[in-house]
Amino acid sequence: MAAELDAAAGALLTVWDGARERTANRISTAQLRAVMLVERHDGINLRRLAAGLDMLLSSASRLCDRLVAAGMLEREPGRADRREISLHLTAEACRLLAELRDDRRQHLAAILADMTPEAREALLRGLRAFDEAARARVVRPVSPLVPQPEEPRAEQPEGREAVEAAPRGWAAGEASVFRTA
């Protein structure tokens, strides 16, 4: 079943990648991930951003420098601690994400139009069940720097199995399958 799903998901990933190439080609994939994380957590500080992107603080700082220079992010001194910087999206970044979503949805709608209503409904039910199962498998990080969702979670495996069950590449502190723009 996993092999069939992997093969079938190729078309969906092609739509995602195509939308990214057509609309978000002004910034790198890592920069796009950062912009999406700032969108979900407006005012996030640099440490939380680095943890959420699973990168070194210095790398996240350089990434933010490039995003500020590209007109995608704004830095603002923190309200409680002026040494801490909060990150916010610019209007340009919001336009970029809206364009990306619109492009992706248009292409998905065209493909879905070629499916029967029953097949569309089955696809949606299956993806929702997959999303729920994937979220239940995520091992939450213990760092206080990473925002923790307040939702209940299913029992987790312990020890080495917990580490192996945790998908790599998903943003720390985020649900395993998060909305990508």
Side-chain angles (χ1 to χ4, degrees), residues 113-130:
D114 293 338
M115 296 171 64
T116 65
E118 297 80 18
R120 287 191 300 264
E121 189 58 39
L123 175 64
L124 183 57
R125 274 194 318 275
L127 285 174
R128 284 180 176 156
F130 180 89

Side-chain angles (χ1 to χ4, degrees), residues 25-46:
N25 58 6
R26 296 182 298 263
I27 61 176
S28 71
T29 301
Q31 291 170 330
L32 181 59
R33 286 181 56 226
V35 165
M36 291 187 302
L37 188 57
V38 172
E39 179 188 40
R40 284 191 309 278
H41 303 285
D42 184 53
I44 191 172
N45 67 26
L46 194 55

Side-chain angles (χ1 to χ4, degrees), residues 1-152:
M1 176 66 140
E4 289 93 356
L5 178 60
D6 185 49
L12 184 60
L13 293 173
T14 299
V15 170
W16 251 252
D17 289 344
R20 192 221 167 308
E21 288 298 319
R22 286 185 296 276
T23 60
N25 58 6
R26 296 182 298 263
I27 61 176
S28 71
T29 301
Q31 291 170 330
L32 181 59
R33 286 181 56 226
V35 165
M36 291 187 302
L37 188 57
V38 172
E39 179 188 40
R40 284 191 309 278
H41 303 285
D42 184 53
I44 191 172
N45 67 26
L46 194 55
R47 285 191 188 285
R48 286 187 176 189
L49 181 73
L53 295 173
D54 193 26
M55 62 174 44
L56 296 172
L57 184 59
S58 59
S59 298
S61 181
R62 286 190 300 275
L63 183 72
C64 286
D65 290 342
R66 290 189 297 274
L67 285 167
V68 168
M72 298 288 157
L73 280 186
E74 294 176 344
R75 289 180 168 150
E76 178 181 286
R79 292 188 179 110
D81 181 352
R82 305 225 14 112
R83 293 172 295 175
E84 186 174 278
I85 301 296
S86 349
L87 301 169
H88 306 278
L89 295 185
T90 63
E92 177 63 22
C94 293
R95 276 191 296 275
L96 178 82
L97 291 175
E99 189 179 319
L100 174 68
R101 288 183 182 111
D102 185 53
D103 182 270
R104 195 171 59 207
R105 288 174 182 158
Q106 285 179 19
H107 282 82
L108 288 172
I111 294 167
L112 291 168
D114 293 338
M115 296 171 64
T116 65
E118 297 80 18
R120 287 191 300 264
E121 189 58 39
L123 175 64
L124 183 57
R125 274 194 318 275
L127 285 174
R128 284 180 176 156
F130 180 89
D131 182 59
E132 186 178 316
R135 288 175 188 266
R137 291 186 61 84
V138 172
V139 177
R140 304 285 185 222
V142 294
S143 169
L145 300 175
V146 178
Q148 300 294 312
E150 297 300 319
E151 62 193 46

